[in-house]
Amino acid sequence: MQSMGGEAPHTAEAEAEVSRIFLDADPTSSTRTPPSIRRAMGPMVDLYEIWSGRPVFDASLITAPTLIIRGDHDLFSNDPGYIDTLTNAPIKRYVVLPSATHWALFETQAAPQLLSEVSKFMSAGRPHLSLELTGAYWAGYADYTGGLLSVDFRISNGNGAGNYDGYNVRITGANASNGVIPASPALAMGNVPRGSSTTFTIKYQIPPGVRFFRATVHGTAEDGAGVAYSYPGS
């Protein structure tokens, strides 16, 4: 396996286990000295054609959701432009694993993130987010005299069948009626997994004499494939 700066990103035990699995995959491996596996050469032929400027298929015809993951120390697949220039997929996600090589699946640091990214991408869809007002109050005397009302909200992600985790959830804006002005509408909420919730507060500047108002909060969230969705909520 590859190494980075002379330091192997995997353990000796992992390398031994991978070697065992490879040899066990070929029942004839023990008939040769040293033990070895037979390998179909079709993929190597394809690589030869690709590296000779003769791609084996037209990647621009790909329309299915596409995920590309590579390690930042992968010397084998080192063109980050593939996902933008070679596919017409409407959903594309490109992930670079830090301190990972071409053998990320077997590496101590990289394997968990690799599997997590694949799982996220394969279970992507619009998160079922909902917004709830949980409280409105003057945070202090100065806010009271200055007409600055604090309003607490909760974002919840349902736990029902067919729902999905929400990533990079953001409050992107807010508006209100009766001349009320949201004072702090833009907020980064992080991830909101399915079945969880998170809270935030928006302060509203209340003009003198206003006794009520209606407020609308806008937000976005991404699914595991990096697709962004918009959420109006009142």
Side-chain angles (χ1 to χ4, degrees), residues 146-167:
L148 200 59
L149 182 70
S150 294
V151 180
D152 292 341
F153 296 94
R154 177 184 294 113
I155 295 177
S156 299
N157 192 356
N159 199 28
N163 193 19
Y164 305 93
D165 293 336
Y167 300 92

PDB file of all heavy atoms in Angstrom, residues 146-167:
ATOM      1  N   GLY A 146     -35.451  49.340  24.164  1.00  0.00           N
ATOM      2  CA  GLY A 146     -35.047  49.535  22.766  1.00  0.00           C
ATOM      3  C   GLY A 146     -35.954  48.845  21.777  1.00  0.00           C
ATOM      4  O   GLY A 146     -35.723  48.918  20.561  1.00  0.00           O
ATOM      5  N   GLY A 147     -36.989  48.146  22.265  1.00  0.00           N
ATOM      6  CA  GLY A 147     -37.931  47.491  21.371  1.00  0.00           C
ATOM      7  C   GLY A 147     -37.353  46.299  20.646  1.00  0.00           C
ATOM      8  O   GLY A 147     -37.763  45.995  19.516  1.00  0.00           O
ATOM      9  N   LEU A 148     -36.416  45.581  21.284  1.00  0.00           N
ATOM     10  CA  LEU A 148     -35.746  44.446  20.644  1.00  0.00           C
ATOM     11  C   LEU A 148     -36.284  43.156  21.258  1.00  0.00           C
ATOM     12  O   LEU A 148     -35.905  42.766  22.362  1.00  0.00           O
ATOM     13  CB  LEU A 148     -34.231  44.558  20.832  1.00  0.00           C
ATOM     14  CG  LEU A 148     -33.354  43.759  19.877  1.00  0.00           C
ATOM     15  CD1 LEU A 148     -33.611  44.169  18.424  1.00  0.00           C
ATOM     16  CD2 LEU A 148     -31.881  43.976  20.209  1.00  0.00           C
ATOM     17  N   LEU A 149     -37.175  42.480  20.536  1.00  0.00           N
ATOM     18  CA  LEU A 149     -37.841  41.285  21.031  1.00  0.00           C
ATOM     19  C   LEU A 149     -37.089  40.025  20.597  1.00  0.00           C
ATOM     20  O   LEU A 149     -36.769  39.866  19.418  1.00  0.00           O
ATOM     21  CB  LEU A 149     -39.273  41.223  20.497  1.00  0.00           C
ATOM     22  CG  LEU A 149     -40.133  40.048  20.971  1.00  0.00           C
ATOM     23  CD1 LEU A 149     -40.487  40.205  22.442  1.00  0.00           C
ATOM     24  CD2 LEU A 149     -41.402  39.936  20.116  1.00  0.00           C
ATOM     25  N   SER A 150     -36.813  39.134  21.544  1.00  0.00           N
ATOM     26  CA  SER A 150     -36.182  37.847  21.233  1.00  0.00           C
ATOM     27  C   SER A 150     -37.262  36.802  21.007  1.00  0.00           C
ATOM     28  O   SER A 150     -38.180  36.658  21.817  1.00  0.00           O
ATOM     29  CB  SER A 150     -35.270  37.407  22.385  1.00  0.00           C
ATOM     30  OG  SER A 150     -34.173  38.281  22.542  1.00  0.00           O
ATOM     31  N   VAL A 151     -37.148  36.061  19.901  1.00  0.00           N
ATOM     32  CA  VAL A 151     -38.114  35.007  19.575  1.00  0.00           C
ATOM     33  C   VAL A 151     -37.336  33.710  19.365  1.00  0.00           C
ATOM     34  O   VAL A 151     -36.428  33.641  18.543  1.00  0.00           O
ATOM     35  CB  VAL A 151     -38.928  35.351  18.312  1.00  0.00           C
ATOM     36  CG1 VAL A 151     -39.932  34.235  18.006  1.00  0.00           C
ATOM     37  CG2 VAL A 151     -39.648  36.687  18.496  1.00  0.00           C
ATOM     38  N   ASP A 152     -37.688  32.685  20.136  1.00  0.00           N
ATOM     39  CA  ASP A 152     -37.032  31.383  20.054  1.00  0.00           C
ATOM     40  C   ASP A 152     -37.791  30.458  19.111  1.00  0.00           C
ATOM     41  O   ASP A 152     -39.029  30.400  19.135  1.00  0.00           O
ATOM     42  CB  ASP A 152     -36.964  30.726  21.435  1.00  0.00           C
ATOM     43  CG  ASP A 152     -36.025  31.450  22.383  1.00  0.00           C
ATOM     44  OD1 ASP A 152     -35.180  32.217  21.894  1.00  0.00           O
ATOM     45  OD2 ASP A 152     -36.154  31.243  23.613  1.00  0.00           O
ATOM     46  N   PHE A 153     -37.050  29.723  18.296  1.00  0.00           N
ATOM     47  CA  PHE A 153     -37.621  28.764  17.363  1.00  0.00           C
ATOM     48  C   PHE A 153     -36.943  27.409  17.539  1.00  0.00           C
ATOM     49  O   PHE A 153     -35.813  27.319  18.014  1.00  0.00           O
ATOM     50  CB  PHE A 153     -37.423  29.217  15.912  1.00  0.00           C
ATOM     51  CG  PHE A 153     -38.124  30.489  15.548  1.00  0.00           C
ATOM     52  CD1 PHE A 153     -37.462  31.710  15.634  1.00  0.00           C
ATOM     53  CD2 PHE A 153     -39.434  30.471  15.098  1.00  0.00           C
ATOM     54  CE1 PHE A 153     -38.091  32.886  15.282  1.00  0.00           C
ATOM     55  CE2 PHE A 153     -40.077  31.649  14.754  1.00  0.00           C
ATOM     56  CZ  PHE A 153     -39.410  32.864  14.840  1.00  0.00           C
ATOM     57  N   ARG A 154     -37.642  26.374  17.119  1.00  0.00           N
ATOM     58  CA  ARG A 154     -37.058  25.032  17.073  1.00  0.00           C
ATOM     59  C   ARG A 154     -37.243  24.455  15.675  1.00  0.00           C
ATOM     60  O   ARG A 154     -38.356  24.449  15.142  1.00  0.00           O
ATOM     61  CB  ARG A 154     -37.714  24.099  18.099  1.00  0.00           C
ATOM     62  CG  ARG A 154     -37.170  22.654  18.023  1.00  0.00           C
ATOM     63  CD  ARG A 154     -37.896  21.700  18.973  1.00  0.00           C
ATOM     64  NE  ARG A 154     -37.631  22.063  20.363  1.00  0.00           N
ATOM     65  CZ  ARG A 154     -38.544  22.522  21.206  1.00  0.00           C
ATOM     66  NH1 ARG A 154     -39.790  22.685  20.785  1.00  0.00           N
ATOM     67  NH2 ARG A 154     -38.235  22.819  22.443  1.00  0.00           N
ATOM     68  N   ILE A 155     -36.148  23.963  15.086  1.00  0.00           N
ATOM     69  CA  ILE A 155     -36.214  23.219  13.832  1.00  0.00           C
ATOM     70  C   ILE A 155     -36.181  21.738  14.173  1.00  0.00           C
ATOM     71  O   ILE A 155     -35.278  21.276  14.873  1.00  0.00           O
ATOM     72  CB  ILE A 155     -35.028  23.551  12.909  1.00  0.00           C
ATOM     73  CG1 ILE A 155     -35.084  25.008  12.467  1.00  0.00           C
ATOM     74  CG2 ILE A 155     -35.029  22.645  11.683  1.00  0.00           C
ATOM     75  CD1 ILE A 155     -33.913  25.418  11.608  1.00  0.00           C
ATOM     76  N   SER A 156     -37.167  20.990  13.684  1.00  0.00           N
ATOM     77  CA  SER A 156     -37.232  19.547  13.928  1.00  0.00           C
ATOM     78  C   SER A 156     -37.174  18.798  12.608  1.00  0.00           C
ATOM     79  O   SER A 156     -37.726  19.251  11.598  1.00  0.00           O
ATOM     80  CB  SER A 156     -38.521  19.179  14.669  1.00  0.00           C
ATOM     81  OG  SER A 156     -38.585  19.814  15.929  1.00  0.00           O
ATOM     82  N   ASN A 157     -36.499  17.669  12.637  1.00  0.00           N
ATOM     83  CA  ASN A 157     -36.421  16.794  11.465  1.00  0.00           C
ATOM     84  C   ASN A 157     -37.154  15.506  11.808  1.00  0.00           C
ATOM     85  O   ASN A 157     -36.743  14.776  12.706  1.00  0.00           O
ATOM     86  CB  ASN A 157     -34.958  16.508  11.103  1.00  0.00           C
ATOM     87  CG  ASN A 157     -34.817  15.850   9.736  1.00  0.00           C
ATOM     88  OD1 ASN A 157     -35.811  15.540   9.087  1.00  0.00           O
ATOM     89  ND2 ASN A 157     -33.586  15.652   9.312  1.00  0.00           N
ATOM     90  N   GLY A 158     -38.250  15.241  11.128  1.00  0.00           N
ATOM     91  CA  GLY A 158     -39.095  14.102  11.446  1.00  0.00           C
ATOM     92  C   GLY A 158     -38.358  12.771  11.388  1.00  0.00           C
ATOM     93  O   GLY A 158     -37.343  12.631  10.696  1.00  0.00           O
ATOM     94  N   ASN A 159     -38.885  11.801  12.105  1.00  0.00           N
ATOM     95  CA  ASN A 159     -38.252  10.484  12.186  1.00  0.00           C
ATOM     96  C   ASN A 159     -39.080   9.418  11.473  1.00  0.00           C
ATOM     97  O   ASN A 159     -38.880   8.221  11.679  1.00  0.00           O
ATOM     98  CB  ASN A 159     -38.062  10.067  13.655  1.00  0.00           C
ATOM     99  CG  ASN A 159     -37.027   8.974  13.810  1.00  0.00           C
ATOM    100  OD1 ASN A 159     -36.107   8.860  13.002  1.00  0.00           O
ATOM    101  ND2 ASN A 159     -37.165   8.160  14.835  1.00  0.00           N
ATOM    102  N   GLY A 160     -39.980   9.838  10.596  1.00  0.00           N
ATOM    103  CA  GLY A 160     -40.835   8.890   9.903  1.00  0.00           C
ATOM    104  C   GLY A 160     -40.139   8.192   8.755  1.00  0.00           C
ATOM    105  O   GLY A 160     -39.019   8.553   8.353  1.00  0.00           O
ATOM    106  N   ALA A 161     -40.814   7.182   8.219  1.00  0.00           N
ATOM    107  CA  ALA A 161     -40.264   6.441   7.082  1.00  0.00           C
ATOM    108  C   ALA A 161     -40.123   7.369   5.880  1.00  0.00           C
ATOM    109  O   ALA A 161     -40.962   8.228   5.632  1.00  0.00           O
ATOM    110  CB  ALA A 161     -41.183   5.271   6.737  1.00  0.00           C
ATOM    111  N   GLY A 162     -39.046   7.216   5.157  1.00  0.00           N
ATOM    112  CA  GLY A 162     -38.818   8.031   3.975  1.00  0.00           C
ATOM    113  C   GLY A 162     -38.203   9.385   4.241  1.00  0.00           C
ATOM    114  O   GLY A 162     -38.074  10.203   3.324  1.00  0.00           O
ATOM    115  N   ASN A 163     -37.838   9.647   5.482  1.00  0.00           N
ATOM    116  CA  ASN A 163     -37.197  10.925   5.784  1.00  0.00           C
ATOM    117  C   ASN A 163     -35.677  10.788   5.705  1.00  0.00           C
ATOM    118  O   ASN A 163     -35.140   9.680   5.671  1.00  0.00           O
ATOM    119  CB  ASN A 163     -37.606  11.421   7.172  1.00  0.00           C
ATOM    120  CG  ASN A 163     -37.224  12.876   7.381  1.00  0.00           C
ATOM    121  OD1 ASN A 163     -36.990  13.609   6.425  1.00  0.00           O
ATOM    122  ND2 ASN A 163     -37.150  13.294   8.617  1.00  0.00           N
ATOM    123  N   TYR A 164     -34.986  11.936   5.699  1.00  0.00           N
ATOM    124  CA  TYR A 164     -33.547  11.936   5.482  1.00  0.00           C
ATOM    125  C   TYR A 164     -32.859  12.913   6.434  1.00  0.00           C
ATOM    126  O   TYR A 164     -33.474  13.862   6.921  1.00  0.00           O
ATOM    127  CB  TYR A 164     -33.221  12.321   4.029  1.00  0.00           C
ATOM    128  CG  TYR A 164     -33.922  11.445   3.025  1.00  0.00           C
ATOM    129  CD1 TYR A 164     -35.150  11.818   2.484  1.00  0.00           C
ATOM    130  CD2 TYR A 164     -33.372  10.234   2.636  1.00  0.00           C
ATOM    131  CE1 TYR A 164     -35.807  11.005   1.576  1.00  0.00           C
ATOM    132  CE2 TYR A 164     -34.014   9.414   1.728  1.00  0.00           C
ATOM    133  CZ  TYR A 164     -35.224   9.803   1.201  1.00  0.00           C
ATOM    134  OH  TYR A 164     -35.866   8.989   0.307  1.00  0.00           O
ATOM    135  N   ASP A 165     -31.578  12.685   6.667  1.00  0.00           N
ATOM    136  CA  ASP A 165     -30.790  13.594   7.483  1.00  0.00           C
ATOM    137  C   ASP A 165     -30.638  14.937   6.760  1.00  0.00           C
ATOM    138  O   ASP A 165     -30.535  14.995   5.527  1.00  0.00           O
ATOM    139  CB  ASP A 165     -29.402  13.013   7.751  1.00  0.00           C
ATOM    140  CG  ASP A 165     -29.445  11.777   8.640  1.00  0.00           C
ATOM    141  OD1 ASP A 165     -30.425  11.635   9.388  1.00  0.00           O
ATOM    142  OD2 ASP A 165     -28.509  10.960   8.573  1.00  0.00           O
ATOM    143  N   GLY A 166     -30.584  16.006   7.552  1.00  0.00           N
ATOM    144  CA  GLY A 166     -30.373  17.341   7.004  1.00  0.00           C
ATOM    145  C   GLY A 166     -28.960  17.822   7.319  1.00  0.00           C
ATOM    146  O   GLY A 166     -28.513  17.758   8.463  1.00  0.00           O
ATOM    147  N   TYR A 167     -28.251  18.307   6.306  1.00  0.00           N
ATOM    148  CA  TYR A 167     -26.872  18.752   6.465  1.00  0.00           C
ATOM    149  C   TYR A 167     -26.765  20.246   6.131  1.00  0.00           C
ATOM    150  O   TYR A 167     -27.504  20.767   5.286  1.00  0.00           O
ATOM    151  CB  TYR A 167     -25.936  17.958   5.551  1.00  0.00           C
ATOM    152  CG  TYR A 167     -25.935  16.480   5.825  1.00  0.00           C
ATOM    153  CD1 TYR A 167     -26.794  15.624   5.147  1.00  0.00           C
ATOM    154  CD2 TYR A 167     -25.094  15.925   6.790  1.00  0.00           C
ATOM    155  CE1 TYR A 167     -26.807  14.258   5.409  1.00  0.00           C
ATOM    156  CE2 TYR A 167     -25.100  14.567   7.053  1.00  0.00           C
ATOM    157  CZ  TYR A 167     -25.956  13.743   6.364  1.00  0.00           C
ATOM    158  OH  TYR A 167     -25.974  12.395   6.625  1.00  0.00           O
TER     159      TYR A 167
END
